[in-house]
Amino acid sequence: MLDVSSALEFNNFQTFLREQAATKKQDPTEFTEKYVETQIKEGKLSLEEVDLKGLFEGTVNFNRDVDLTKTDKVHKQISESLYPAITQPLIREYIDRQYDMEVGDLTKLFRQSNALHTEQEKMIGMNDYGDLQRRKYGEKYEKTKPSDYSFESFYKDYGIIIELTVEDIANDPNMALIDKVSQGGTKQGKKLAEVLTQTIEMNATRLAFNEEVNYGFFYKGVARSALGAGGSGSTVFYATTTHSHIDGQANVNALSTAWSSGAVKEANQKLQIMTTPVGDKMKVIPRFIICHSVLEQEVNEFLGSTMKYDTMEPVTNVWKSKLQVVSSPYFESQARFFIGDPIKQMHLRWVERPTTIARSGMNDANFEARVVQAYRHNLWFGAFHTDYRFLVSMGYAG
């Protein structure tokens, strides 16, 4: 590890960074940020192992000549030091870890892409081409084209600003600064995880996405959400009997069967008899079991067992190690689970990916509140389905 734990060591560290930047004829701030990022990647430096009070004293107030009661003076000294260049990469890396912990593997289930800077996009998809036609001797192949359909995606910008006062960075009581800045990553990850789980569930509304109506599947100009008992109505996404109201196909992607090895068999059977919008048979290979974190242990026991784990009969478990488990505590139901290949139908589009931006500028409000630094954490995105037939909902009656 990089040995920086006292004010003197941090003061020497700052001197070293300035000298290296001068030798390489680089801007000290840019050189420092890149240097610290390299140290983080190599496992030599992390926010938890840095004495932030010592860092402040060594880089900002080493000679004890800064009057901490004067916010403008503190801010000026911070701006002239390498304190921001050292702390920002450390804080960003720590925030990213908090974000990743909240989101988990949920993003594996979505096809990610970049979106326009807008709140809504109308997008065009297409149905299957017709079957191959036999070409008769001496004739041309028959031309065909798919019928297209429209769906809409909606994007929303979420963010939070966390401010640091003189007391936060000069005293850092009980590692409070780390706890405070970590909230940015936690909040970013929690927001995304809630929206993604609610997009998978497709209930009447996605509260985390601030919707009155669920627009997770806005197909042919109509929002089609919720689990439909009996599979009827214009808003059904997970249907228990038919999807004829959407595309004329008798596809079923919802069963109330509780978790068991038999339930996995049932779900797979439904996936294997799906038909395309033009009525053709199709092949769906399930890749994931998606569930609440409460159910994760049982799912892993099932996938790790050579024999069926929930029966006394010596029956081989054909699903051993063939499916990936993605769980989250943010699903509404602890008993509900999903099986299929969701990346074929679920999309996560980014207007702006999760971002953390630091600011040290002074204004009247900051002066009055003794704020010397602020971090803005934001993400601007949308999540939605473009199909329903690659995912089966289980263990939920609606």
Side-chain angles (χ1 to χ4, degrees), residues 264-325:
V264 178
K265 176 182 177 180
E266 279 190 81
N268 182 56
Q269 288 174 339
K270 295 302 180 186
L271 290 171
Q272 299 314 315
I273 57 174
M274 292 288 179
T275 54
T276 70
V278 295
D280 292 340
K281 293 181 179 180
M282 58 186 292
K283 186 172 184 177
V284 180
I285 301 176
R287 296 176 54 206
F288 291 94
I289 295 181
I290 309 159
C291 63
H292 192 284
S293 298
V294 167
L295 196 58
E296 181 182 8
Q297 180 176 333
E298 287 187 64
V299 175
N300 278 318
E301 288 175 357
F302 163 67
L303 294 176
S305 176
T306 301
M307 310 302 287
K308 282 190 178 180
Y309 81 118
D310 53 0
T311 177
M312 295 299 292
E313 298 180 8
V315 181
T316 301
N317 179 19
V318 299
W319 293 104
K320 177 178 169 62
S321 303
K322 287 187 177 180
L323 300 173
Q324 298 180 54
V325 183

Side-chain angles (χ1 to χ4, degrees), residues 98-107 188-190 192-193 196:
Q98 307 310 305
Y99 166 86
D100 290 340
M101 183 176 67
E102 293 292 327
V103 175
D105 291 331
L106 285 169
T107 53
Q188 282 178 320
K190 179 181 173 68
L192 181 61
L196 295 187

Side-chain angles (χ1 to χ4, degrees), residues 17-26 28:
L17 291 168
R18 290 191 187 281
E19 290 175 349
Q20 289 293 307
T23 299
K24 298 178 183 298
K25 298 181 180 180
Q26 295 182 15

Side-chain angles (χ1 to χ4, degrees), residues 4-14 50-51 54-55 58-59:
V4 280
S5 57
S6 69
L8 176 59
E9 289 166 342
F10 276 117
N11 186 259
N12 292 336
F13 184 43
Q14 180 171 244
V50 170
D51 177 2
L55 174 61
T59 58

